[in-house]
Amino acid sequence: MSVRKPVRDLLDVAVVGGGVVGAAAAVGFARLGLSVALVEARMPAPWSAEAPDLRVYALAPDNAAWLDTLGAWDAVRSSAHPYRRMVVRDAAGGGALSFDADTLGRRELGWIVEHGLLVDRLWSAMAQAGVTVHPGKSVVTLEQDGAVASLGLGDGGTLAARLAVAADGAASVLRGLAGIEVDGRGHGQRAVVGYVRGSESHRDTAWQRFLPGGPLALLPCGGGGRTSSIVWTLPDAEASRVLDLDDAAFARELTRASDRWIGELEPVSPRVAFPLRTQLARTQHAGRVVVVGDAAHVVHPLAGQGVNLGLRDAAALQRHAMRMLSDGRDWSTANGLARWSRTRHSEATVAARAFDAINLACSNAHPVATALRGPLLGLTGRIAPLRRALWRHAAGA
């Protein structure tokens, strides 16, 4: 895709960062008839089913519905895997918290989607929506005058826009240029990820088991109903040890940790580990700059809500612009953006604190905590209204 608009022209929106959330935001604004440009330092590699991305998301129904309005969902869904059940257990015993599509009146609870697949399809949607892409470029300066945000690019060019969207990840350059500070801390944990094949079917079930070192999730993928993506949270030293195991030893430990939920496990991909931290921007808005996705909030992956929160940032921003445009008002005013920022920041803060609390409680080997976790999960699973309310929140309803 080539640059079609001279950079001296005033854009409606300049998005910095072409990952899942940035690309979706760009398509969302373009679908409203706004002029949109996207700046991305590294072009994404084309997605291939033959080389699956180790990063996967449990995409919630509300975000799937929004991607459908962007014209991207059909192309994603054809290669995503729906899951119909979710089961959460504690290694110390007790009851299970489970959600079932049939009892909730749905065909599926959500979809397991590869990061690379989402990015690939959203970049195709950007081309169709008329988004101008500046590939291989980075933002190095920011100037604001109250009405316009001017982004200085590393090659000496400039983009001027009524709104600049920082979607350039946890170490966001644009967020820093806008003077937005963050609060964050590491967990002393890493998430070990990869693909495994079970000797038994995964039954389209997302399964999570709380262990003393952190939760282990098995997320159902394709592979004839027996392939799952793992997200195994471990203390740093333990993660390093697990990564150094040969495949046979890793399979034995993982099978034991999973309580043989899908039988004996066999690694079918490389495995890598990502450091885990919680990080929150102090605000998601400064002048003509808004912050979305990981640039705004990084949360623990145990609930699979990171990308869902980011897409909800972008969807809410598009809805705000749509309402203002339909009323004939300026959608990029500071007051309107501040209201959007407060709402999104509040949701992200509540989610981050809740996930941290769950991780702390469920990675705690204290006898009292261990004795309480299983019964509390079981009790929650037996109270239908509470179980349904939890699911509606996770689904974005």
Side-chain angles (χ1 to χ4, degrees):
M1 286 174 279
S2 60
V3 178
R4 296 174 300 173
K5 183 184 291 293
V7 295
R8 65 178 179 276
D9 290 353
L10 180 63
L11 294 159
D12 289 314
V13 184
V15 179
V16 180
V20 172
V21 176
V27 177
F29 281 119
R31 290 282 179 178
L32 299 181
L34 301 175
S35 57
V36 183
L38 181 135
V39 179
E40 173 54 55
R42 293 180 294 178
M43 295 291 289
W47 177 79
S48 169
E50 305 305 316
D53 195 326
L54 297 182
R55 296 166 295 175
V56 302
Y57 307 123
L59 195 70
D62 65 319
N63 284 320
W66 185 54
L67 292 180
D68 195 33
T69 70
L70 303 185
W73 179 237
D74 282 346
V76 171
R77 179 169 51 188
S78 62
S79 298
H81 191 90
Y83 64 96
R84 305 195 72 255
R85 295 181 66 227
M86 180 184 295
V87 178
V88 183
R89 290 185 178 274
D90 190 84
L97 173 60
S98 62
F99 305 93
D100 186 273
D102 290 337
T103 60
L104 293 168
R106 296 191 55 85
R107 289 186 301 178
E108 63 279 305
L109 298 181
W111 295 263
I112 305 303
V113 186
E114 293 174 33
H115 170 86
L117 171 65
L118 268 176
V119 171
D120 185 86
R121 302 304 190 251
L122 284 166
W123 274 64
S124 294
M126 281 200 298
Q128 295 168 7
V131 176
T132 298
V133 175
H134 296 259
K137 304 291 179 63
S138 58
V139 172
V140 295
T141 64
L142 167 69
E143 294 181 4
Q144 299 196 67
D145 65 4
V148 174
S150 296
L151 307 179
L153 306 183
D155 64 354
T158 301
L159 288 177
R162 300 172 69 194
L163 179 69
V165 180
D168 47 342
S172 171
V173 171
L174 182 54
R175 181 192 64 216
L177 292 172
I180 298 175
E181 297 182 348
V182 299
D183 298 307
R185 67 180 185 87
H187 293 287
Q189 296 173 312
R190 284 189 281 169
V192 176
V193 302
Y195 290 97
V196 298
R197 182 180 296 114
S199 60
E200 301 172 15
S201 170
H202 53 52
R203 303 182 292 283
D204 296 330
T205 300
W207 188 84
Q208 187 159 263
R209 190 180 192 218
F210 289 121
L211 298 157
L216 166 64
L218 297 177
L219 307 176
C221 302
R226 294 197 295 128
T227 300
S228 294
S229 167
I230 65 164
V231 183
W232 192 1
T233 299
L234 292 166
D236 285 334
E238 186 67 3
S240 295
R241 185 189 68 81
V242 163
L243 287 175
D244 288 339
L245 295 174
D246 61 34
D247 281 355
F250 178 75
R252 288 193 297 271
E253 293 209 17
L254 184 61
T255 297
R256 184 168 56 250
S258 71
D259 200 28
R260 291 175 170 77
W261 172 253
I262 55 175
E264 300 293 322
L265 299 178
E266 172 194 1
V268 293
S269 79
R271 52 189 180 272
V272 298
F274 299 101
L276 300 182
R277 64 181 288 104
T278 295
Q279 179 176 287
L280 290 170
R282 294 184 179 178
T283 179
Q284 289 188 227
H285 163 245
R288 292 275 169 168
V289 176
V290 295
V291 188
V292 299
D294 283 356
H297 37 70
V298 178
V299 300
H300 197 284
L302 66 87
Q305 290 297 301
V307 77
N308 286 303
L309 284 172
L311 286 172
R312 287 168 190 152
D313 289 341
L317 197 56
Q318 187 209 36
R319 287 194 297 270
H320 163 72
M322 188 185 305
R323 286 193 299 269
M324 299 292 278
L325 287 167
S326 66
D327 293 341
R329 294 184 288 168
D330 183 355
W331 56 273
S332 60
T333 60
N335 286 340
L337 294 174
R339 285 193 295 272
W340 167 87
S341 174
R342 286 193 298 270
T343 300
R344 297 308 308 154
H345 186 264
S346 176
E347 179 174 342
T349 301
V350 169
R353 289 175 178 171
F355 301 154
D356 278 0
I358 293 170
N359 179 54
L360 180 62
C362 295
S363 302
N364 191 333
H366 191 281
V368 174
T370 301
L372 289 175
R373 283 195 302 263
L376 285 174
L377 279 173
L379 178 62
T380 303
R382 290 192 297 273
I383 302 175
L386 177 57
R387 187 175 68 246
R388 186 176 291 271
L390 287 171
W391 168 249
R392 285 178 58 82
H393 179 75

